[in-house]
Amino acid sequence: MARWMKSLAAAAGIAALASSVAVSGASADAISDIKGRGKLIVGVKADYAPYGFLDSSGKIVGIEPELAQDVADVLDADLELVPVVSSNRMQFLEQGKIDLMIATMTDRNDRREVVQIVDPNYYSSGTNILTKGNFAKWEDLKGAPVCGIQGAFYNRKTSEEFGAEIVAFKGTAEALTALKQNRCVAFVYDDSFIVSRLGDPDWEGWKMPLPTIDDAPWGLAVKKGEDAFAMLMSGMIVKWHVSGRILELESKYGLEQTPFAKKMHQAFLDFNPSIER
Amino acid sequence: MEAVYEWARVLYQDTGINLTFIYDSYDRNRLIDGFLMTVWLSVICLGLSVAIGVVGAWAQGARSAILRRCVAGYIEFFRNTPPLVQLYFFYFALGSIMPTTTNRFGLPEPLLDNFAWAVISLSFFAGAFNVEIFRSGIEAVPESTKEAAEALGYTRLQTYLEIVLPLAFRVCLPSLNNNLVNLVKTTTLAYAIAVPEMLYQANQIWSDSVNVPEMMTFLLIAYVFLVGVLVWGMHRWERSMRLPGFGS
């Protein structure tokens, strides 16, 4: 843990350096590419309020776009946001369609083999369901049609371990419509997303009744092999945790402050004595 | 079988080619289910669309102007809109105003599920083309043949069923063949409304295991196989129905 922290501190230093001075030309390809074209291209969700969603003018806004803007500011580049979905986000990164992916992706080892997930994790969430029915435990879903999103990793667990019949759609808009039209009895998804719906008057009477499972950290990712860019992003994440940026964004977008964000904020405060308290 | 599973596991370790659908029993079962669902969906839609084509082509030549206009309207509607849009329209728009039943969770459930809507939408889509295909065949039957049938005392329906249709079938089989091949490929669109067919299952597997190239290759081979079987069957049928001296 201490060694991990130490390398992060180094990364934080780099980020601090990056935010004051321009990044030197000797760094890796991704960074020089971005500087060269003067534009940072970030893949974010566009159907996942409040992390990434469309505002009334059709612009992508939310917590993750704001984080992306922070990165663009540090690199002194313009920001271009590309909407991604769970089933194509890693491919976009691999193909170079985006430089950076901040798209509510759960950090998993098999994903680390495909893209470079940056440490530390910037956020965390678990799995729960949105329903009107009376379900007390996950096993109650046995044999029930449950809406989901194509490509989400907990689809398998929900059907394999709890016996639910997953009815998966392309995006949350379709899945939520299907839920409202009673195509399924519940919608299995990230608890962070469900919490944001529960506050919405459209969803009055709906509940998130089950214990959250699989509380897992989210990782933002760069293309495999972009070590310098990954290092810079490590620094960015540490800076967000240290400064309480994540907590601030949660409040701004009307979310409860999550235990994970609080914990990370505390952890980094305690670690680095040079930070003002 | 174990040896094959083991081979796939070793292949993954040695080369990174990840054929989860061979060694992982869960992935294997859902891909088999997906394959069977595609076959089932295709077979039902093939049958229904041909039936719609036959009935529609007959109605096109009916005496009643209303019936003829209805068929023309149907063809225009289904031929002029993309099948994916039709699926969404049927499932989300029409489906929402259908009557519901109560399921065992005490919640209402729509009468027609996503599979039923996929069958309806795809059959009518392919059926619209089949009507036109059969019409082309019917129009190729010489007027004198029909007059000969009439002279022999055949009724209109008898002439259609026993003289015109058998001849028309032979003429339009090649283009019918084409349309049915297209229909089998179009069943992949059903994954948009969560019908667990082959593409849907493959998509879930590659999302879980990040083995997109492997799954894409599998899909390609599987569809080449499925369409190959269909084309082979249609060609056999075509040959067995060949009349010496009629057509080419």
Side-chain angles (χ1 to χ4, degrees):
Chain A
M1 188 71 179
R3 248 185 63 196
W4 177 72
M5 285 287 193
K6 207 171 265 176
S7 66
L8 287 176
I14 291 182
L17 193 75
S19 49
S20 52
V21 200
V23 182
S24 74
S27 45
D29 294 336
I31 298 178
S32 41
D33 281 357
I34 295 160
K35 301 234 116 200
R37 69 172 113 90
K39 194 169 72 177
L40 170 73
I41 308 171
V42 185
V44 292
K45 286 272 180 90
D47 62 352
Y48 203 113
Y51 300 93
F53 59 102
L54 298 173
D55 69 3
S56 51
S57 68
K59 212 170 136 255
I60 305 176
V61 294
I63 293 177
E64 289 180 338
E66 295 228 16
L67 295 177
Q69 186 61 55
D70 289 354
V71 181
D73 290 346
V74 163
L75 289 170
D76 195 22
D78 291 335
L79 176 67
E80 182 184 328
L81 294 172
V82 174
V84 298
V85 295
S86 301
S87 51
N88 68 17
R89 56 190 168 191
M90 283 187 285
Q91 288 77 2
F92 273 25
L93 203 54
E94 273 186 298
Q95 294 162 0
K97 283 202 175 93
I98 52 178
D99 300 314
L100 170 68
M101 185 237 291
I102 315 181
T104 71
M105 186 175 76
T106 302
D107 183 357
R108 285 200 348 241
N109 281 336
D110 57 341
R111 287 179 175 160
R112 281 179 179 253
E113 283 176 24
V114 183
V115 294
Q116 189 145 349
I117 295 182
V118 177
D119 284 310
N121 297 109
Y122 69 102
Y123 208 75
S124 158
S125 80
T127 307
N128 213 315
I129 60 165
L130 177 63
T131 184
K132 263 195 304 199
N134 292 314
F135 300 102
K137 51 186 195 304
W138 283 88
E139 283 73 16
D140 293 347
L141 291 175
K142 195 171 171 59
V146 174
C147 284
I149 297 296
Q150 286 167 5
F153 76 95
Y154 34 72
N155 288 357
R156 175 169 180 162
K157 181 166 184 166
T158 314
S159 66
E160 196 176 16
E161 283 182 30
F162 307 122
E165 281 167 33
I166 295 290
V167 186
F169 293 90
K170 199 91 200 133
T172 51
E174 289 100 316
L176 290 174
T177 306
L179 180 65
K180 281 216 157 163
Q181 292 183 355
N182 300 306
R183 299 281 177 193
C184 43
V185 298
F187 173 48
V188 59
Y189 208 44
D190 291 340
D191 59 349
S192 51
F193 177 87
I194 296 173
V195 166
S196 74
R197 288 291 120 162
L198 292 178
D200 190 324
D202 277 358
W203 293 91
E204 217 183 303
W206 293 77
K207 296 169 298 209
M208 189 173 82
L210 302 183
T212 292
I213 53 167
D214 290 332
D215 196 28
W218 292 5
L220 56 77
V222 298
K223 196 174 174 177
K224 199 111 181 132
E226 297 288 356
D227 293 328
F229 192 28
M231 196 65 139
L232 172 89
M233 286 315 302
S234 280
M236 289 299 304
I237 298 169
V238 172
K239 233 177 70 169
W240 289 330
H241 286 313
V242 169
S243 63
R245 175 83 169 131
I246 308 265
L247 292 167
E248 175 198 317
L249 285 173
E250 281 182 333
S251 305
K252 179 175 171 187
Y253 285 93
L255 289 181
E256 291 277 314
Q257 294 193 338
T258 53
F260 178 83
K262 282 191 207 157
K263 186 185 85 188
M264 292 305 262
H265 184 49
Q266 276 308 317
F268 282 103
L269 273 188
D270 291 345
F271 171 69
N272 192 339
S274 69
I275 304 293
E276 278 183 354
R277 296 187 200 189
Chain B
M1 253 0 234
E2 260 321 308
V4 178
Y5 304 158
E6 197 47 44
W7 168 80
R9 228 173 261 129
V10 171
L11 184 75
Y12 178 39
Q13 281 157 12
D14 291 354
T15 63
I17 296 173
N18 191 3
L19 303 176
T20 50
F21 58 89
I22 295 181
Y23 65 79
D24 182 318
S25 65
Y26 185 77
D27 280 359
R28 188 166 60 235
N29 287 336
R30 60 178 165 173
L31 199 58
I32 291 173
D33 286 350
F35 181 81
L36 294 178
M37 177 60 87
T38 292
V39 171
W40 183 223
L41 188 61
S42 300
V43 168
I44 295 183
C45 292
L46 286 180
L48 279 178
S49 72
V50 170
I52 290 169
V54 172
V55 174
W58 172 78
Q60 249 184 347
R63 289 207 187 91
S64 150
I66 299 169
L67 194 57
R68 285 204 306 269
R69 282 210 196 106
C70 283
V71 177
Y74 154 69
I75 292 171
E76 288 307 304
F77 177 79
F78 278 92
R79 217 172 41 167
N80 300 359
T81 47
L84 182 60
V85 175
Q86 290 168 15
L87 271 174
Y88 276 133
F89 169 76
F90 276 114
Y91 185 67
F92 284 116
L94 268 191
S96 65
I97 52 173
M98 293 298 277
T100 57
T101 54
T102 304
N103 61 18
R104 66 191 170 84
F105 301 96
L107 297 168
E109 192 177 65
L111 213 51
L112 293 175
D113 63 359
N114 50 1
F115 180 76
W117 280 120
V119 167
I120 292 171
S121 172
L122 292 172
S123 300
F124 277 96
F125 171 69
F129 287 88
N130 284 351
V131 171
E132 291 290 282
I133 288 169
F134 283 124
R135 186 176 62 100
S136 71
I138 289 165
E139 282 175 1
V141 176
E143 202 58 36
S144 53
T145 310
K146 282 187 243 175
E147 279 165 11
E150 210 174 321
L152 287 170
Y154 277 73
T155 64
R156 242 183 67 81
L157 186 67
Q158 274 177 324
T159 312
Y160 184 72
L161 287 179
E162 288 168 35
I163 312 287
V164 176
L165 209 54
L167 289 174
F169 233 89
R170 289 165 168 81
V171 174
C172 62
L173 258 181
S175 41
L176 180 67
N177 203 346
N178 252 340
N179 191 40
L180 296 187
V181 164
N182 251 330
L183 173 60
V184 171
K185 294 187 287 186
T186 312
T187 57
T188 49
L189 289 182
Y191 98 121
I193 58 167
V195 175
E197 48 74 65
M198 203 154 47
L199 179 61
Y200 174 96
Q201 301 287 20
N203 179 295
Q204 187 62 47
I205 291 173
W206 83 55
S207 299
D208 286 348
S209 312
V210 209
N211 54 350
V212 183
E214 290 91 333
M215 295 313 298
M216 290 286 184
T217 312
F218 169 82
L219 277 178
L220 200 81
I221 294 171
Y223 277 102
V224 165
F225 170 76
L226 274 181
V227 173
V229 168
L230 175 68
V231 168
W232 176 80
M234 292 293 285
H235 278 167
R236 270 193 66 129
W237 194 24
E238 218 171 300
R239 267 204 307 278
S240 71
M241 294 212 321
R242 204 174 70 86
L243 290 180
F246 183 78
S248 53

